[in-house]
Amino acid sequence: LLVADSASVGTHEDYFAMINVFSDQFCEGFLAWGQAVSAAGWGTFEIKSFDSEKKTATVSIKNPWELRMQEALPATDMKWGCPFLQGKLIGIFSHAFDTKVWADETILGINEVQFCIHPYNKTITDEINAHRRAHLDENNRLLHEKLDEQTKKMAFQATHDFLTELPNRTFLYNEIKYWFAGDPFSIIFLDLDNFKNINDTLGHSYGDAILIQVAHRLKHAFSTQDLVARQGGDEFIVLTHVVKPSDVSELCATVIEELAEPYVVDELEFSVGCSIGVSFYPEHGNTLDFLLSTADIAMYQAKKVKNSFYLFSAEMHQQNLYRVDIEHQLRLALTNNELYMEFQPQVTSGGKIFGVEALTRWSNSKLGFVPPDQFIAVAEATGLMTSIGHFIVESSLREIAKVHKATG
């Protein structure tokens, strides 16, 4: 048995002893052909039977790349099912042999054919090597195309949101330098209203389906020159060269109206609003982070109203700084005993006191007296309300106990 494949190149001596019935010249020629074709990746040869007088052999040609070869060669070149016997190689052998090449052109089994073997011919090897080089060049071209395709796919996955296929934060940060180098632009920061309720009630699959529809509507609401990206969660960011306040306002109103249209998922209908904040470059900052921050401040103001939009202003910035101060100082207020209680009597129409209303007050060394309508909202938003609630109950009970003790 002779196996000629890429692993056997350079070990002719081992095979000579196994097929010594053939002449040395025959062995040299056959192995040369086998090496060339096997090195090209076209398959492996196994001698099944041979006739030493006629110098014919039945050879099994095994090729695991048959489909690839069939795609690489034109259909008109196909003469048999076995890729090794396809048109171009047949032409090489036919040209080199001075007698009939094939003793029997019938396929013997799936990948077997009987053919005549003639002494080594350099022309055959040269032409096979030329065909091999062309085949390798084609393989390299296909490989590079595949690698380019994979590289592009990986780059897309790294810079785009997997759910909506919109550009993500990475893409936004890579792209912003080109926007800074051009004309003024505005940043639209959009957050869906009450979207969390859908995820909590029906599950994330419904929320994801709505996000995909939102992304589709946003892409159609803005120009192809604008950049629509998903920030994450239910937040989206749009960069647009629309900068005139009246035009931006009209654009935001259109987007709110567009997104307010019902969403249908599995025959269920949903209504989702959005809140929008807008900042302008270069008026409101010269870095992406600062512009996003100012747009977020404006969006926070819109969130108080829901389904509305706000354009960032300097007054908003001052209000935001004050709110940040309130949050920071409020965290220290309980520790520093800055909160206190006041009790407002509840009086009947006849002038009789029947109870009191417990009111929380806060006086801070930096901020002075902070009205409840300013710090209560911050406490609720930051999770401090539970601690303040405990303080209210405990302080009220202590004061009631004092009253009962004093009045008997």
Side-chain angles (χ1 to χ4, degrees), residues 1 10 29 47 61 88 99 111 183 192 196 227 245 251 262 342 352:
L1 177 68
I47 296 180
I61 304 171
K88 286 184 170 57
T99 62
N111 280 326
D183 297 329
L192 300 181
K196 186 175 181 297
L227 173 58
L251 179 60
E342 289 185 346
K352 182 179 180 180

Side-chain angles (χ1 to χ4, degrees), residues 135-383:
H135 175 69
L136 290 176
D137 289 342
E138 176 65 10
N139 275 356
N140 286 336
R141 184 187 67 80
L142 294 175
L143 178 61
H144 282 301
E145 286 182 358
K146 186 175 182 180
L147 289 175
D148 288 343
E149 182 180 345
Q150 291 176 341
T151 300
K152 291 177 181 177
K153 183 177 180 181
M154 292 175 64
F156 184 87
Q157 291 174 342
T159 57
H160 288 73
D161 175 54
F162 76 97
L163 179 65
T164 63
E165 295 190 348
L166 290 177
N168 59 16
R169 282 177 60 88
T170 300
F171 186 95
L172 188 62
Y173 275 84
N174 290 338
E175 188 74 10
I176 193 65
K177 57 180 176 287
Y178 302 112
W179 286 75
F180 283 146
D183 297 329
F185 61 91
S186 58
I187 288 187
I188 297 175
F189 199 125
L190 184 150
D191 183 89
L192 300 181
D193 295 333
N194 303 318
F195 178 76
K196 186 175 181 297
N197 294 339
I198 297 174
N199 278 337
D200 293 344
T201 305
L202 297 173
H204 287 274
S205 60
Y206 282 86
D208 288 348
I210 291 175
L211 287 173
I212 293 173
Q213 293 184 46
V214 168
H216 180 75
R217 295 184 189 186
L218 286 176
K219 285 192 291 186
H220 283 80
F222 290 93
S223 161
T224 55
Q225 303 301 316
D226 300 331
L227 173 58
V228 181
R230 185 185 178 195
Q231 165 87 340
D234 60 353
E235 296 179 341
F236 297 85
I237 295 171
V238 181
L239 272 60
T240 176
H241 286 296
V242 179
V243 293
K244 188 176 179 181
S246 59
D247 292 339
V248 173
S249 298
E250 183 179 348
L251 179 60
C252 290
T254 301
V255 171
I256 290 174
E257 183 178 350
E258 182 77 17
L259 296 187
E261 291 294 322
Y263 299 85
V264 178
V265 181
D266 290 343
E267 299 183 352
L268 296 177
E269 191 173 287
F270 302 90
S271 294
V272 177
C274 69
S275 300
I276 296 175
V278 183
S279 63
F280 298 91
Y281 170 81
E283 180 182 350
H284 296 143
N286 55 10
T287 68
L288 179 58
D289 286 334
F290 200 84
L291 288 168
L292 289 175
S293 175
T294 51
D296 188 32
I297 291 172
M299 189 268 291
Y300 175 78
Q301 294 295 324
K303 273 290 184 184
K304 295 178 181 179
V305 183
K306 303 289 186 185
N307 218 39
S308 61
F309 67 90
Y310 274 78
L311 308 184
F312 180 77
S313 65
E315 291 76 17
M316 285 184 190
H317 185 55
Q318 293 301 320
Q319 292 172 6
N320 185 67
L321 291 178
Y322 181 63
R323 182 179 178 277
V324 171
D325 267 347
I326 289 177
E327 180 181 343
H328 177 69
Q329 296 297 327
L330 188 57
R331 293 183 182 278
L332 304 174
L334 289 170
T335 303
N336 297 337
N337 296 317
E338 295 177 356
L339 296 179
Y340 60 93
M341 301 299 300
E342 289 185 346
F343 299 95
Q344 180 172 300
Q346 303 294 299
V347 183
T348 66
S349 58
K352 182 179 180 180
I353 296 177
F354 65 89
V356 294
E357 180 183 3
L359 304 172
T360 310
R361 297 292 183 256
W362 178 29
S363 181
N364 178 261
S365 57
K366 177 181 179 181
L367 303 175
F369 178 77
V370 183
D373 62 339
Q374 293 182 7
F375 76 81
I376 292 297
V378 174
E380 291 173 342
T382 57

